Amino acid sequence: MDLKALEHPTLKVPYEVLNKKFRSAQKNIDREMSRVHTDLDELEKKLLDKPTTVGDVSRILTSVVDKLNAMKRKAAESIGDELDAARVTKRRTDHLREYDTKDQNLQTLWRKKRLDRILVEYFLRCGYYDTALKLAKHSRIEDLTNLDIFLVAKEVEESLSNHETAQCLAWCYDNKSKLRKLKSNLEFKLRQQEFIELVRKNKRLEAVGHARKYFVNLEDNQMFSVQKAMGLLAFPPETEVSSYKEMLDLSRWQLLVKEFRSENFKLYQLNNYSVFTVTLQAGLSSLKTPYP
């Protein structure tokens, strides 16, 4: 099996993390620079106006210094985050380069480490987080695995399973630009579920206000879902009408968990199947198994 195809996520994930941190740092610095320019414009205006007091100038200069210090601090934090992400990318690149060796002992060690990486990812996908953490720590391969991404996903999935949307909405906001490019409907479905929960609690006026606030600028494929959801306002929470009873079913939360998981994989270009599963299937299919 082509090693490059299987190891694509190994480098793609840290690259996406690095790219995300770079874009986030750029936005933060631009925001702080805008605040500094606002104070400088105010200072220039004060100097042109007459009379201008020393107190006014001193106040504005103090504000400029405070904002420059804040920008310096945030820039240092952002650079530190980017360097950490770059180091992880380099570590993984160096690890993959170790495969290209003729030393049999080094090749054996590399294959053992790679197997541990594949198992860690498989455990994470199956929800065996403690086992994955212990194996990664034991093999000293934390930087070679996607532990952070799956642990964040674990928290979001648990909050959705507890019928809470705040954490998943925060994740959507944090990855807003990327999700927009992927044409994701996750945020819309979360807002729709919030509407359904308000109806379930008989908070119909709040539900209408929620709809007016969030069900705007809809795509064509979203309009029908909104129209159907609005029909809930005419029925009690214990309705037996099948289409609306289905919308009020609590199993919808598990559908949101699956939707989030799918969007998370797309975001970092992870395959729907683990490398362990793909490798195992390829190995089994290559066996010359006799059939009766």
Side-chain angles (χ1 to χ4, degrees), residues 117-133 146-147 149-151 153-154 157-158 254 257 261 264-265 270-278 280:
R117 283 196 298 109
I118 292 173
L119 288 173
V120 167
E121 184 206 7
Y122 179 74
F123 290 146
L124 289 170
R125 285 175 179 258
C126 293
Y128 303 133
Y129 297 102
D130 291 339
T131 303
L133 287 167
N146 301 319
L147 285 169
I149 291 171
F150 279 96
L151 291 177
K154 171 179 177 285
E157 290 181 15
E158 286 178 349
Q254 290 307 311
V257 170
R261 192 175 298 163
N264 192 39
F265 284 175
L270 291 168
N271 295 323
N272 289 327
Y273 299 99
S274 68
V275 175
F276 176 79
T277 303
V278 173
L280 182 63

Side-chain angles (χ1 to χ4, degrees), residues 4-228:
K4 293 181 180 179
L6 289 176
E7 294 295 349
H8 176 261
T10 305
L11 291 180
K12 187 62 179 176
V13 171
Y15 168 77
E16 290 295 335
V17 171
L18 178 59
N19 187 33
K20 178 182 174 181
K21 289 184 180 297
F22 171 77
R23 286 185 283 107
S24 176
Q26 192 175 34
K27 288 179 181 178
N28 288 335
I29 292 174
D30 287 345
R31 189 182 304 116
E32 294 302 321
M33 278 298 300
S34 176
R35 291 171 180 170
V36 172
H37 283 305
T38 299
D39 280 358
L40 290 176
D41 290 342
E42 184 182 356
L43 176 61
E44 185 177 359
K45 184 179 179 181
K46 283 287 184 183
L47 292 175
L48 291 174
D49 290 341
K50 293 182 180 181
T52 302
T53 65
V54 175
D56 288 339
V57 174
S58 177
R59 176 182 58 79
I60 297 173
L61 287 176
T62 300
S63 178
V64 170
V65 171
D66 290 341
K67 287 181 172 62
L68 286 173
N69 285 331
M71 184 174 68
K72 180 181 178 182
R73 185 180 66 256
K74 290 185 178 181
E77 292 173 357
S78 298
I79 291 171
D81 290 341
E82 290 179 44
L83 287 174
D84 289 341
R87 276 191 285 269
V88 170
T89 306
K90 185 178 185 303
R91 171 88 193 279
R92 295 193 185 190
T93 303
D94 292 341
H95 167 69
L96 293 178
R97 283 176 176 170
E98 291 171 4
Y99 171 75
D100 189 21
T101 179
K102 295 181 180 179
D103 189 316
Q104 292 298 320
N105 291 330
L106 291 177
Q107 278 195 359
T108 301
L109 289 173
W110 189 89
R111 291 193 182 99
K112 171 64 170 63
K113 188 178 290 187
R114 181 169 182 257
L115 177 60
D116 289 342
R117 283 196 298 109
I118 292 173
L119 288 173
V120 167
E121 184 206 7
Y122 179 74
F123 290 146
L124 289 170
R125 285 175 179 258
C126 293
Y128 303 133
Y129 297 102
D130 291 339
T131 303
L133 287 167
K134 288 177 181 178
L135 178 57
K137 186 175 181 180
H138 175 75
S139 302
R140 298 180 180 178
I141 55 173
E142 291 96 328
D143 288 345
L144 303 178
T145 59
N146 301 319
L147 285 169
D148 291 344
I149 291 171
F150 279 96
L151 291 177
V152 169
K154 171 179 177 285
E155 294 180 359
V156 175
E157 290 181 15
E158 286 178 349
S159 69
L160 288 173
S161 296
N162 291 329
H163 303 174
E164 299 169 356
T165 59
Q167 201 156 356
C168 193
L169 285 169
W171 181 87
C172 290
Y173 181 80
D174 194 36
N175 298 283
K176 190 172 184 178
S177 60
K178 194 76 174 180
L179 290 173
R180 190 185 297 114
K181 291 179 182 178
L182 294 173
K183 297 182 179 180
S184 171
N185 282 319
L186 179 59
E187 184 176 355
F188 166 75
K189 290 182 179 180
L190 290 168
R191 295 301 185 187
Q192 186 182 37
Q193 189 63 35
E194 287 179 335
F195 175 87
I196 292 170
E197 294 305 314
L198 288 172
V199 173
R200 190 197 308 280
K201 297 174 183 176
N202 273 320
K203 297 180 179 179
R204 298 176 187 276
L205 287 178
E206 290 183 33
V208 172
H210 182 278
R212 287 175 174 170
K213 182 176 181 180
Y214 295 111
F215 296 159
V216 294
N217 300 323
L218 299 173
E219 301 290 337
D220 292 339
N221 61 332
Q222 296 173 342
M223 182 59 71
F224 175 76
S225 296
V226 170
Q227 290 172 343
K228 184 177 179 181

